[in-house]
Amino acid sequence: MARKIIRVIGTLFGTVLGVYLFVLILPFITVFLVIPRGVYFTPVSMGYYAIGGLLFGFILYLLTPIFIDIFMHVVGWADSKLKMVPTQDIALVAFTMIITLLIGLLLSYPIYRIPVIGIFISPILTLFLAFIGVRFVLSRKEEFTFVSTLFNRGARSGGAENEVFKILDTSAIIDGRIVDICKTGFMEGVIVVANFVLEELRHIADSPDLLKRNRGRRGLDVLNKIQKEMDIPVQIYEGDFEDINEVDSKLVKLAKTISGKIITNDFNLNKVCELQGVAVLNINELANAVKPVVLPGEEMAVQIIKDGKEAGQGVAYLDDGTMIVVEGGRRFIGETIEVLVTSVLQTAAGRMIFAKPKKDAEKYSGVK
């Protein structure tokens, strides 16, 4: 409906424009027409005005949908770009523009009064000062803490939370568990996928190595699922940091730029983020945190899969992948037995449970 209304308005505008243009050019073409010079409202001239109005009205009628599509495309592009910019930066730029334009107007007023060249130099000087001011504050935006403080107070007083950007790295995408996390509804904010991460995934997917190729294609499938099947918004960051070569360093820079958090499985990237003060969400740490708690003395049924490193040990696994080392369990390989947990060891790589067969525990404790 809105498109039809705009199209009608465009047609009317074209009609008026056509009549106006023909009124302007009629004095120059009266020598070729049967119209007395200086008389512009004869039946013949009115006919020419009507032709001009109909011609331009028809042209605008045809072109208005194209203009609408171009306008909507530009608005959509600008909206997607602005969503990637922190609100503090937008406010800081707007504030700087107002101040620098006012200063520019004051300084350029004397220049404006210079004959001939003043009218050209004055606006150029004003725009130049605005440009320099914006570049200056953006290069030192970390020092303008009053803007962040102002917005944080506003958020607290209004009871609303600021939108948080969650930046996916390559390892988290290929891992695939991010899809399950999104399904649970615990993931909030906007998921950001950088274009240079997509390029790395495409490069891996085109690798001659079969394993790498499968990993890359899995990562692309995961992104496709997140974008099409999840309710959480996904944004593609088109920018790039050409002065930085490594993808991990680019992710850290991006996180600082948009005040986002990096989602990763990469231990080294995790440490780099911590050193540089960038918030990081490690999926492995989340997985360890939500594993069921096992306490010494608990009983469980496990299947001994293989022998352990030490003599007589057997190894079993829980459904979540937690390894259980069973003392004296080697003789039960291939069997499902009852074990008694003796201790739990938490390491950076995950959790390890030590246990012994229940029969042996009862035997040593004297229980019959």
Side-chain angles (χ1 to χ4, degrees):
M1 185 64 183
R3 293 176 68 93
K4 291 182 179 179
I5 294 174
I6 296 174
R7 195 170 191 179
V8 170
I9 294 174
T11 304
L12 293 175
F13 175 76
T15 303
V16 174
L17 179 64
V19 173
Y20 178 72
L21 290 177
F22 268 65
V23 169
L24 291 179
I25 65 175
L26 195 61
F28 302 100
I29 61 175
T30 51
V31 293
F32 305 104
L33 303 175
V34 189
I35 302 175
R37 182 177 294 275
V39 180
Y40 305 121
F41 292 99
T42 64
V44 176
S45 63
M46 296 297 290
Y48 282 109
Y49 299 156
I51 292 173
L54 291 174
L55 177 62
F56 277 84
F58 180 70
I59 292 174
L60 265 294
Y61 176 80
L62 296 178
L63 294 180
T64 300
I66 300 175
F67 292 151
I68 293 174
D69 292 337
I70 294 174
F71 176 77
M72 295 303 295
H73 179 74
V74 172
V75 170
W77 176 84
D79 182 62
S80 64
K81 294 297 182 182
L82 286 175
K83 284 182 178 178
M84 307 300 296
V85 180
T87 308
Q88 293 91 332
D89 289 0
I90 297 175
L92 190 60
V93 169
F95 179 76
T96 305
M97 288 285 289
I98 293 172
I99 298 299
T100 52
L101 287 175
L102 289 175
I103 295 174
L105 288 174
L106 292 174
L107 294 178
S108 62
Y109 180 72
I111 299 175
Y112 179 79
R113 305 184 67 176
I114 299 175
V116 184
I117 62 172
I119 193 173
F120 300 104
I121 297 178
S122 177
I124 294 175
L125 176 62
T126 303
L127 294 176
F128 178 74
L129 288 175
F131 174 75
I132 294 298
V134 171
R135 287 292 300 269
F136 175 77
V137 297
L138 287 180
S139 63
R140 297 173 175 266
K141 62 181 180 180
E142 291 82 5
E143 300 177 15
F144 292 88
T145 55
F146 70 93
V147 177
S148 299
T149 305
L150 181 65
F151 272 84
N152 289 336
R153 287 177 180 173
R156 285 195 295 268
S157 61
E161 295 182 359
N162 291 330
E163 200 170 51
V164 180
F165 295 105
K166 308 289 179 60
I167 307 167
L168 294 181
D169 88 323
T170 311
S171 64
I173 295 172
I174 293 176
D175 177 80
R177 285 179 290 178
I178 187 65
V179 175
D180 298 322
I181 296 174
C182 291
K183 285 181 180 179
T184 61
F186 283 100
M187 184 71 70
E188 295 180 347
V190 179
I191 289 183
V192 178
V193 182
N195 195 47
F196 49 82
V197 171
L198 285 176
E199 288 296 328
E200 186 179 36
L201 277 176
R202 293 191 192 102
H203 181 72
I204 296 173
D206 294 335
S207 173
D209 184 85
L210 179 61
L211 180 59
K212 286 186 177 180
R213 186 163 64 248
N214 290 338
R215 285 165 56 86
R217 291 176 180 176
R218 171 181 167 79
L220 294 174
D221 291 338
V222 167
L223 282 181
N224 191 48
K225 280 186 179 180
I226 294 175
Q227 201 163 18
K228 292 185 177 180
E229 300 179 11
M230 304 296 139
D231 293 331
I232 190 167
V234 179
Q235 295 288 337
I236 304 297
Y237 181 78
E238 300 289 349
D240 195 0
F241 304 98
E242 297 180 356
D243 56 326
I244 303 175
N245 294 324
E246 294 184 358
V247 173
D248 288 354
S249 300
K250 290 183 178 182
L251 285 170
V252 173
K253 181 68 174 179
L254 174 60
K256 289 183 176 181
T257 302
I258 65 174
S259 301
K261 299 179 180 180
I262 297 178
I263 300 178
T264 183
N265 281 338
D266 192 330
F267 179 79
N268 294 327
L269 178 57
N270 200 130
K271 290 299 181 184
V272 171
C273 290
E274 291 177 357
L275 289 173
Q276 299 201 23
V278 174
V280 61
L281 304 174
N282 193 301
I283 294 179
N284 287 333
E285 292 180 358
L286 175 63
N288 290 330
V290 298
K291 285 181 179 179
V293 177
V294 179
L295 300 176
E298 290 190 13
E299 299 178 5
M300 61 178 66
V302 297
Q303 183 181 14
I304 308 299
I305 304 297
K306 60 181 181 179
D307 56 346
K309 292 183 179 180
E310 302 295 332
Q313 286 183 343
V315 176
Y317 293 93
L318 295 179
D319 293 337
D320 59 10
T322 302
M323 186 170 71
I324 304 175
V325 179
V326 181
E327 296 293 336
R330 183 175 183 179
R331 64 184 186 275
F332 299 108
I333 291 178
E335 300 179 20
T336 300
I337 62 172
E338 294 285 335
V339 297
L340 192 68
V341 177
T342 57
S343 62
V344 180
L345 178 63
Q346 185 71 43
T347 66
R351 185 177 52 174
M352 185 180 297
I353 299 174
F354 293 91
K356 62 176 62 177
K358 184 180 178 182
K359 293 181 180 179
D360 293 351
E362 291 176 349
K363 179 180 178 181
Y364 292 133
S365 62
V367 179
K368 296 184 180 180

